[in-house]
Amino acid sequence: MEFSGNKFKPSSVRSVSDAPVLSVERGDQSVDQLDVSDESCADFNHNELRVPRHVAIIMDGNGRWAKKRGLPRLAGHNAGMKAMIEATRAASDWGIRYLTVYAFSTENWKRSKEEVGGIFKLLIKYVESELRELNRNNVKVNVIGDYEKIPKAALLKLEETIETTRNNTGLNLNIALNYGSRAEIIRGIRSLVQKVLKEVDIPEAHEHSLKNNHDVYLKIQERLEEIITEDSFSRELYTGDELGNIPDPDLIIRTSGEERLSNFLLWQAAYSEFAFTPVMWPEFTREEFRHILKDYSGRDRRFGGR
Ligand code: IPE
Ligand code: IPE
Ligand code: MG
């Protein structure tokens, strides 16, 4: 899956006509043509690339990568963190607006205490060592998931990072931690149902009559349809109002050869493109990322229309 072609000339020697045209997706299908002449994009060696607005990655294969090398699983997670940093750098350089990385699922608590604890320790270590660079690159960090339940030290470090980067306007890096799409959906449903119930005046038991029951039923029915819509539901998700309503992922990448979502962004993935690569996450390079983006650029997204 190697990408071949001429290497880009550095911007200092590149003439205007040599400059690549990067298309950054903005609306559902609208595309902005950007003339990219800064060196950060120098590793694009083709003329037309559609840069998705939102890329989501299921970073899988850390354990198998380590096992193949006779290393402990945590060595795989350590190498995986480095790959995450490299992918963030690339996404930021290429003008991707949102990068959502699946770092820990609601099901990952089933793993050994040692592995779970180790993952969060590594997260603290890398967030700490990378914070300055993230900030320098104008990256805004956020977390999605029921992340208040993660170990306290990791929670504090992440809250500090979110706070430090909150005014940044570059890449939005969303780290999914204790994230599960089913839990996210149930949480959204509960919240909307609460809104319906708040608006409907349910009479006291002693006032109950058949007529009353019927009126209440009709009222609930009416408010359900008005309050629970695709749009209002989307806004209840972690990716909704809380994060300024981030667009659905244009592209979901999963490494390690597995071809499943494993409870990731089930609702948001309705019209996402998928890219599966056999590469284990610690070996996921900028080159591989670029190769996937090139493939994505050639896809015809129809959203049901023609
Ligand atoms: C992904 O790698 C990282 C997390 C789920 C935390 P895995 O740890 O799932 O690696 P494999 O799938 O066992 O190889
Ligand atoms: C999905 O990977 C979760 C993350 C990458 C954080 P898993 O390794 O947990 O998924 P399964 O168990 O193979 O489906
Ligand atoms: Mg796995």
Side-chain angles (χ1 to χ4, degrees), residues 54-60 83-84 87-88 91 99-103 176 249 251-255 264-265 281 284 289:
H54 184 178
V55 176
I57 308 183
I58 303 172
M59 310 182 292
D60 198 16
M84 184 171 100
T88 303
L99 178 69
T100 302
V101 291
Y102 202 8
L251 173 65
I252 298 181
I253 300 170
R254 183 167 188 154
T255 55
F264 190 45
L265 303 176
W281 177 248
F284 188 83
F289 198 172

Side-chain angles (χ1 to χ4, degrees), residues 55-162:
V55 176
I57 308 183
I58 303 172
M59 310 182 292
D60 198 16
N62 294 350
R64 276 163 286 169
W65 178 90
K67 191 171 180 196
K68 210 172 137 201
R69 286 162 181 73
L71 297 169
R73 291 184 62 83
L74 279 174
H77 294 308
N78 187 52
M81 293 288 171
K82 292 183 189 164
M84 184 171 100
I85 289 157
E86 202 40 44
T88 303
R89 244 178 231 144
S92 168
D93 287 349
W94 297 339
I96 291 170
R97 299 296 306 135
Y98 303 90
L99 178 69
T100 302
V101 291
Y102 202 8
F104 194 87
S105 76
T106 45
E107 287 73 34
N108 287 148
W109 297 106
K110 294 176 195 163
R111 299 185 181 196
S112 73
K113 250 190 166 158
E114 189 197 359
E115 182 173 351
V116 170
I119 289 172
F120 287 108
K121 278 202 185 111
L122 285 168
L123 191 72
I124 297 173
K125 177 179 143 193
Y126 281 97
V127 167
E128 202 154 50
S129 67
E130 293 304 309
L131 185 54
R132 268 169 61 158
E133 187 186 333
L134 289 169
N135 225 356
R136 199 169 49 239
N137 290 339
N138 204 15
V139 175
K140 180 173 175 165
V141 178
N142 264 309
V143 177
I144 61 169
D146 191 6
Y147 73 97
E148 302 208 335
K149 301 209 175 82
I150 68 172
K152 193 71 191 271
L155 178 65
L156 291 175
K157 184 45 71 187
L158 281 161
E159 282 177 343
E160 180 197 327
T161 306
I162 293 168

Side-chain angles (χ1 to χ4, degrees), residues 11 26 99 262 264 294:
S11 55
R26 301 221 305 176
L99 178 69
S262 302
F264 190 45
K294 187 172 176 261

